[in-house]
């Protein structure tokens, strides 16, 4: 039983860790758009082609956008070190975030101490061998995102252990939440002394992944794209994505005299550097362009197939559901509202979708398309494709997306009809039970119904949500009624182990979570 509980905790931890990545990544996506628009409209080529924009005031605005767009790229490790403990903390989130910053600074200052004492900073050869870089104004070893993640995890654990820590009366002022940044600075200061000894092994492991992907050639982007989709249902795709985007696993390149690692980091560096001519295809092969065949073509084709396969009398009922899913996918790059419509009724179909997504990455890479950023939506296509000029080969995206649309449509239509898959509009209509009607009438929303189907408030030990899913841990999984949850509008139920589960709601999940939370007793 103890081993199973540890496994449950580990699942919950990795899910929560992946969710914390979304805070800095969301800012990164927005910053990338600012950087893309600013750099493209301030480029010499665009000013020559469109003299209207060669205006001093407009150029100052575009240069300002470029500079502000760099904020997430330059300070990304710091943001991860702050966001992870903040996201993992249950209480005193502000203290956890502050402690993350303190811990990250302490780590780098301790590394600087080691490098100074051992004379590393006095030798250019040794500085290069250790990968010394200025971090928060301090010469330190560039541990990148991985170092920030390690800091974030350690601080989160220290916060959980010490935010209620009681000191002797004479030192009571330093107890409780105030003790967390204190212990974080001490612990991370000690960890910083170990980093110069152990970091080469971490770096070698990450480089090994990078070499394996590079060695796979054109097949590397396929492995990444398919792997990310296959990990999405259990919420661990963020970890793979972060590894490729921000570490040496995604490649290392010299840009404007600086050595940059990580596919997305390299792309943003090339975007901001006036000396670069275009973007590196081996880098963008892991970015937005790879998603575009499936996001802009494939999944809308699947949605149309599901609409045509629905019972005629049900089509008007599911039209809004499918259209909202297509809009979320094409405009926002959020695919889960569509993917979870068929993931649970046809896992084999989802597997095909993952393979086709992987092939989309591979094909775009083979065609030398060079469209970067994170989301693979129509905004990325416009800002990082069309606005950057024909050198990005953006004109190939509609062609490939059209092919993917056709393939998805006919594959999905064939599978749904051949195997009688219960996609939206094909399932039998079920009226709400008298009990459900009572709950709906008294609680005034679906939150009450879903709470009851989860076994009631007393069965829920933790409740959170991501973009489309409720993330929960429950005391007794046998009390969770999958069929009722689906009849109340849930798109699917993912049981990760005996205590952890996810309930797929859609883009309105935060409203459902708030309804449920309002019905649960508060603890003081």
């Amino acid at each position: 039983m103890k081993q199973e509980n540890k496994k449950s905790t580990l699942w919950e931890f990795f899910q929560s860790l992946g969710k914390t990545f979304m805070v800095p990544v969301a800012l990164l996506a927005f910053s990338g758009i600012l950087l893309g628009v600013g750099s493209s409209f301030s480029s010499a080529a665009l000013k020559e082609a469109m003299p209207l924009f060669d205006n001093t005031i407009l150029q100052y605005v575009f240069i300002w956008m470029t500079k502000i767009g760099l904020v997430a790229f330059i300070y990304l490790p710091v943001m991860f070190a702050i966001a992870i403990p903040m996201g993992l903390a249950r209480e005193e989130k502000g203290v956890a975030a502050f402690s993350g910053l303190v811990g990250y600074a302490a780590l780098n200052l301790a590394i600087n101490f080691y490098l100074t004492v051992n004379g590393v900073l006095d030798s250019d050869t040794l500085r290069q061998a250790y990968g010394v870089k200025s971090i928060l104004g301090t010469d330190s070893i560039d541990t990148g995102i991985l170092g920030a993640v390690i800091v974030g995890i350690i601080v989160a654990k220290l916060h959980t252990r010490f935010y209620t820590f009681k000191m002797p009366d004479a030192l009571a002022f330093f107890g409780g939440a105030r003790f967390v940044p204190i212990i974080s600075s001490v612990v991370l200061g000690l960890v910083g002394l170990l980093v110069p000894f152990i970091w080469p092994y971490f770096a070698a492991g990450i480089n090994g992944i990078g070499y394996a992907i590079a060695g796979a050639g054109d097949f590397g982007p396929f492995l990444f794209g398919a792997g990310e989709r296959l990990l999405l249902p259990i919420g661990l795709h963020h970890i793979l994505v972060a590894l490729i985007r921000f570490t040496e696993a995604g490649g290392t390149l010299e840009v404007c005299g600086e050595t940059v690692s990580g596919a997305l980091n390299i792309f943003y560096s090339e975007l901001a550097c006036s000396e670069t001519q275009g973007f590196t295809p081996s880098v963008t092969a892991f970015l937005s362009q790879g998603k575009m065949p499936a996001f802009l073509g494939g999944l809308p084709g699947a949605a149309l197939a599901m609409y045509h396969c629905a019972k005629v009398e049900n089509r008007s009922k599911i039209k809004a559901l499918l259209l909202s899913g297509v809009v979320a996918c094409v405009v926002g790059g959020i695919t889960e509202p569509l993917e979870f419509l068929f993931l649970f009724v046809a896992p084999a179909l989802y597997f095909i979708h993952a393979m086709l997504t992987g092939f989309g990455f591979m094909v775009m890479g083979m065609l030398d398309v060079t469209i970067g950023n994170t989301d693979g939506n129509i905004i990325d296509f416009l800002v990082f494709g069309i606005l950057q000029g024909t050198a990005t080969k953006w004109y190939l995206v509609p062609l490939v997306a059209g092919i993917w649309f056709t393939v998805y449509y006919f594959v999905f239509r064939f599978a749904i009809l051949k195997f009688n898959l219960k996609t939206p509009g094909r399932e039998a209509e079920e009226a709400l039970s008298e009990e459900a009607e009572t709950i709906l009438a008294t609680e005034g929303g679906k939150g009450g119904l879903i709470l009851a189907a989860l076994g009631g408030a007393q069965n829920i030990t933790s409740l959170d949500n991501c973009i489309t899913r409720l993330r929960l841990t429950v005391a007794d999984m046998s009390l969770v009624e999958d069929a009722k949850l689906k009849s109340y509008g849930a798109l699917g139920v993912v049981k990760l182990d005996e205590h952890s589960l996810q309930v797929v709601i859609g883009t309105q999940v935060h409203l459902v979570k708030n309804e449920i939370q309002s019905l649960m007793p508060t603890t003081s």
Side-chain angles (χ1 to χ4, degrees):
M1 178 65 71
K2 186 178 292 186
Q3 186 175 3
E4 289 176 347
N5 288 338
K6 284 183 179 179
K7 188 185 295 184
S8 175
T9 303
L10 191 63
W11 265 113
E12 185 183 356
F13 170 74
F14 276 115
Q15 283 188 79
S16 300
L17 180 64
K19 189 190 70 173
T20 65
F21 289 0
M22 294 306 294
V23 179
V25 167
L27 175 62
L28 193 65
F30 176 75
S31 296
I33 292 171
L34 282 181
L35 180 59
V37 173
S39 62
S40 60
F41 279 96
S42 60
S43 67
L46 191 136
K47 286 188 288 185
E48 184 178 344
M50 304 177 70
L52 172 67
F53 293 103
D54 193 6
N55 173 282
T56 302
I57 296 176
L58 285 177
Q59 286 303 306
Y60 279 148
V61 171
F62 296 138
I63 293 171
W64 174 84
M65 290 174 67
T66 302
K67 294 296 183 183
I68 298 302
L70 287 170
V71 66
F73 164 64
I74 294 174
Y75 299 105
L76 194 61
V78 185
M79 293 178 186
F80 269 89
I82 293 171
I84 290 173
M86 180 181 70
L88 292 177
R90 299 280 175 87
E91 304 285 345
E92 300 284 0
K93 285 181 175 287
V95 172
F98 174 69
S99 301
L101 175 61
V102 170
Y104 187 70
L107 177 88
N108 286 287
L109 287 168
I111 294 172
N112 177 269
F113 167 80
Y114 175 91
L115 298 177
T116 302
V117 169
N118 289 277
V120 174
L121 300 181
D122 300 326
S123 167
D124 290 340
T125 303
L126 288 176
R127 288 174 70 99
Q128 188 173 359
Y130 275 88
V132 175
K133 186 178 178 181
S134 178
I135 310 293
L136 295 179
T138 302
D139 284 339
S140 181
I141 294 174
D142 183 14
T143 58
I145 295 298
L146 185 57
V149 170
I150 292 171
V151 169
I153 292 172
I154 291 174
V155 171
K157 294 296 184 183
L158 291 173
H159 179 271
T160 301
R161 172 67 179 81
F162 290 109
Y163 81 92
T164 57
F165 185 70
K166 291 184 178 180
M167 298 284 282
D169 289 344
L171 300 172
F173 176 80
F174 300 103
R178 295 188 186 95
F179 188 68
V180 179
I182 295 172
I183 191 66
S184 295
S185 63
V186 173
V187 171
L188 269 303
L190 294 173
V191 172
L193 297 177
L194 299 175
V195 168
F197 298 100
I198 63 177
W199 188 254
Y201 299 101
F202 277 99
I206 297 171
N207 284 327
I209 296 172
Y211 289 135
I213 292 173
D218 294 331
F219 200 60
F222 167 83
L223 294 175
F224 170 71
E228 191 234 359
R229 287 298 99 182
L230 291 173
L231 287 172
L232 183 140
I234 56 175
L236 300 183
H237 56 301
H238 301 304
I239 296 173
L240 172 64
V241 169
L243 194 66
I244 297 298
R245 286 178 180 173
F246 307 124
T247 75
E248 288 84 350
T252 299
L253 201 66
E254 187 170 309
V255 183
C256 276
E258 293 283 336
T259 300
V260 185
S261 298
L264 191 60
N265 289 339
I266 294 171
F267 173 74
Y268 283 163
S269 294
E270 291 181 329
L271 191 63
C273 179
S274 59
E275 299 172 14
T276 56
Q277 299 296 322
F279 306 107
T280 305
S282 61
V283 169
T284 57
F286 296 98
L287 301 177
S288 279
Q289 63 184 48
K291 297 178 177 180
M292 289 178 183
F295 287 23
L296 303 184
L299 286 172
L304 183 62
M306 287 187 278
Y307 176 78
H308 284 162
C309 292
K311 296 175 182 177
V312 176
E313 64 271 18
N314 290 335
R315 288 180 182 175
S316 60
K317 299 176 183 177
I318 67 166
K319 184 186 294 185
L321 173 67
L322 293 172
L323 280 176
S324 64
V326 169
V327 170
C329 179
V330 173
V331 178
I334 301 170
T335 57
E336 289 163 294
L338 286 179
E339 289 169 325
F340 283 104
L341 293 178
F342 59 87
L343 168 61
F344 302 102
V345 297
L349 208 51
Y350 185 84
F351 179 79
I352 293 172
H353 160 58
M355 295 301 105
L356 287 172
T357 302
F359 279 119
F361 272 84
M362 186 172 76
V363 168
M364 299 301 273
M366 292 173 67
L367 293 173
D368 284 338
V369 177
T370 54
I371 302 174
N373 211 40
T374 59
D375 297 323
N377 55 22
I378 195 68
I379 298 172
D380 282 358
F381 173 66
L382 294 172
V383 174
F384 300 99
I386 294 177
L387 286 183
Q388 305 304 321
T390 56
T392 62
K393 296 188 178 180
W394 59 264
Y395 47 83
L396 294 175
V397 172
L399 176 63
V400 178
I403 294 172
W404 256 244
F405 180 94
T406 304
V407 171
Y408 269 72
Y409 176 81
F410 285 106
V411 168
F412 272 68
R413 182 167 185 143
F414 170 80
I416 292 169
L417 297 177
K418 174 71 174 177
F419 302 105
N420 194 26
L421 302 177
K422 300 302 181 184
T423 48
R426 293 178 60 81
E427 66 277 358
E429 289 288 331
E430 290 185 15
L432 291 177
S433 66
E434 188 175 328
E435 176 192 6
E437 290 282 8
T438 302
I439 294 173
L440 191 60
T442 55
E443 306 295 356
K446 283 195 174 181
L449 294 175
I450 291 175
L451 180 60
L454 289 168
Q458 70 282 355
N459 194 39
I460 297 176
T461 56
S462 73
L463 171 67
D464 209 336
N465 71 278
C466 62
I467 296 175
T468 58
R469 287 172 275 183
L470 293 174
R471 296 172 180 262
L472 310 104
T473 54
V474 295
D476 186 353
M477 188 66 77
S478 66
L479 297 179
V480 176
E481 300 178 88
D482 298 28
K484 283 188 177 181
L485 286 169
K486 291 176 183 177
S487 71
Y488 299 155
L491 301 176
V493 181
V494 185
K495 295 181 178 179
L496 298 168
D497 53 51
E498 68 170 338
H499 294 291
S500 303
L501 79 153
Q502 300 172 357
V503 181
V504 186
I505 302 295
T507 52
Q508 300 299 318
V509 63
H510 61 289
L511 299 177
V512 175
K513 183 236 182 180
N514 291 341
E515 285 183 9
I516 293 174
Q517 211 157 40
S518 68
L519 297 172
M520 296 175 65
T522 57
T523 55
S524 56

